Amino acid sequence: MMHPWWHAKNHYLINGYDIVDRNYSSFFYPPFINIALAFSFLFAHPGIASVVTISFLYSLSVFAIFLLCKSFNFKDMPSLFSAMLVAVSSPLVASQNYGFWTFAIALNFIVLSYSLLRFRSRKLTWLSIIFYFLALATHWAFFAAALLAGLVELAIGKNKEAKFYLLAVIIITLPFYLLIIYTANPLAYVPTHFNELALPNPLLILLAASGLALAFRKHVEMAVFAILALRLSFAYYILDIKFAFGDMVQFAYPFLAAFYAGSLLQYSSKNVFKLVIIVVAAAIALEFVSVAGILGSAEASISKNGFDGLLNIRKEISPDSKSIIA
């Protein structure tokens, strides 16, 4: 759980390889993915286990968006189409391929958490709180997302369960953040930025924009999330105002796009229903082609010779030096 603080200036080179001095600065890293991977390594080769484990955690997005749609009283067909759009989401596949696992997987957990909260059942609220804990244990920044979700449900959705949810979120988060403050200096955090913007295909964006316009007043809660995400991305990419996790907001767009594309099926008239299905099916096909392109062009992040070089460096570093290869 104690992890070298990658964003601090504690790096140096040995034989051209980047080494992190753990003694210089450490950070309490949310442990869920580390524990899940370590457990899976007991049953399979680390390379195979990591692919299977991370892919499974990413696939939770399909259940998350389906439950989200059902929580807004979508029928089965629109909910299933939304789930299919997320299942072949090229931005999510790209984030998995680039290694941005923590944010995207935590996003799955927080969408599941919010969806279950909306069913206004105390039993499901407890389950919602568990999924929030998993989100926090995956990425420490998701306290803000849970706080926003709870406040939106309380103020706009008039959901009485939101009060209990917010209280539980604060109680769970407080000791976690105190541990972070105890083990590191958050004010010294130096964010890194991923400047590429990976968006769904233009046809899906058109569907989502149409759905947002049509269902804006019907689902004000989702409109709040969509407008906030758009404003954050506008500030980050257009105004060039760089802030922590501004680049990660883009991974919310597959969920928003799928939800609003599904809303078109939910609320379109009989005259245009078949046309909307055809367009949504075309968007799914385009995303599938994009995913195939990403997977077909994927290469190993490090060559075999490079990996062997890292192993040799490990042998040169004494076990008690508390250094790790980045």
Side-chain angles (χ1 to χ4, degrees):
M1 295 183 187
M2 291 303 300
H3 196 282
W5 201 354
W6 306 103
H7 303 300
K9 297 179 180 178
N10 56 337
H11 295 242
Y12 59 95
L13 297 179
I14 295 182
N15 297 345
Y17 290 99
D18 187 11
I19 308 298
V20 177
D21 182 7
R22 190 189 294 266
N23 290 318
Y24 180 84
S25 184
S26 291
F27 192 70
F28 179 82
Y29 198 82
F32 175 76
I33 288 183
N34 294 335
I35 292 174
L37 285 172
F39 183 76
S40 66
F41 292 168
L42 299 175
F43 304 99
H45 183 277
I48 297 173
S50 62
V51 170
V52 172
T53 301
I54 297 301
S55 294
F56 169 75
L57 293 172
Y58 263 79
S59 71
L60 294 176
S61 59
V62 177
F63 300 98
I65 194 64
F66 181 83
L67 280 178
L68 180 66
C69 291
K70 296 301 290 184
S71 75
F72 282 94
N73 298 318
F74 281 22
K75 296 177 182 178
D76 287 344
M77 181 179 288
S79 301
L80 287 170
F81 268 96
S82 294
M84 290 171 64
L85 283 167
V86 166
V88 293
S89 170
S90 55
L92 290 180
V93 172
S95 77
Q96 182 176 347
N97 197 42
Y98 288 136
F100 291 113
W101 299 342
T102 54
F103 200 93
I105 291 173
L107 188 60
N108 284 342
F109 288 139
I110 208 68
V111 173
L112 282 166
S113 177
Y114 177 66
S115 302
L116 291 166
L117 172 63
R118 284 191 45 80
F119 286 104
R120 303 169 188 260
S121 162
R122 181 52 57 94
K123 290 183 179 179
L124 292 180
T125 300
W126 276 110
L127 188 57
S128 169
I129 292 167
I130 291 173
F131 275 112
Y132 166 67
F133 172 77
L134 292 175
L136 185 66
T138 303
H139 199 299
W140 58 269
F142 273 76
F143 171 60
L147 201 62
L148 175 64
L151 290 173
V152 165
E153 262 316 281
L154 184 63
I156 300 175
K158 308 301 179 183
N159 187 348
K160 295 181 180 179
E161 289 295 316
K163 291 182 179 180
F164 179 69
Y165 177 82
L166 287 169
L167 178 62
V169 163
I170 293 171
I171 292 174
I172 290 171
T173 307
L174 184 60
F176 193 86
Y177 276 17
L178 288 175
L179 183 58
I180 290 176
I181 294 171
Y182 177 77
T183 56
N185 177 15
L187 297 178
Y189 186 83
V190 180
T192 57
H193 298 281
F194 176 63
N195 291 319
E196 293 185 25
L197 181 61
L199 293 174
N201 66 72
L203 186 58
L204 181 52
I205 293 175
L206 178 62
L207 285 169
S210 302
L212 177 61
L214 179 65
F216 188 90
R217 292 187 177 181
K218 291 183 175 67
H219 307 305
V220 179
E221 300 94 330
M222 289 300 297
V224 170
F225 302 136
I227 292 173
L228 178 61
L230 289 169
R231 287 185 173 182
L232 289 174
S233 293
F234 181 82
Y236 188 90
Y237 288 103
I238 306 300
L239 301 181
D240 199 31
I241 302 174
K242 301 302 181 186
F243 50 92
F245 310 123
D247 48 341
M248 295 290 109
V249 172
Q250 62 179 292
F251 297 124
Y253 290 133
F255 295 91
L256 294 168
F259 176 86
Y260 280 114
S263 73
L264 276 181
L265 290 171
Q266 176 72 12
Y267 300 116
S268 59
S269 63
K270 293 182 178 179
N271 295 331
V272 298
F273 183 78
K274 292 183 178 179
L275 175 62
V276 174
I277 285 184
I278 293 173
V279 178
V280 171
I284 292 173
L286 287 175
E287 285 288 79
F288 186 83
V289 171
S290 298
V291 168
I294 292 171
L295 297 179
S297 62
E299 298 179 357
S301 59
I302 186 171
S303 67
K304 185 178 184 301
N305 291 335
F307 188 75
D308 291 341
L310 294 177
L311 293 179
N312 291 330
I313 291 294
R314 171 179 281 182
K315 294 176 183 177
E316 294 180 12
I317 299 176
S318 58
D320 59 348
S321 67
K322 295 185 178 180
S323 295
I324 190 168
I325 300 172

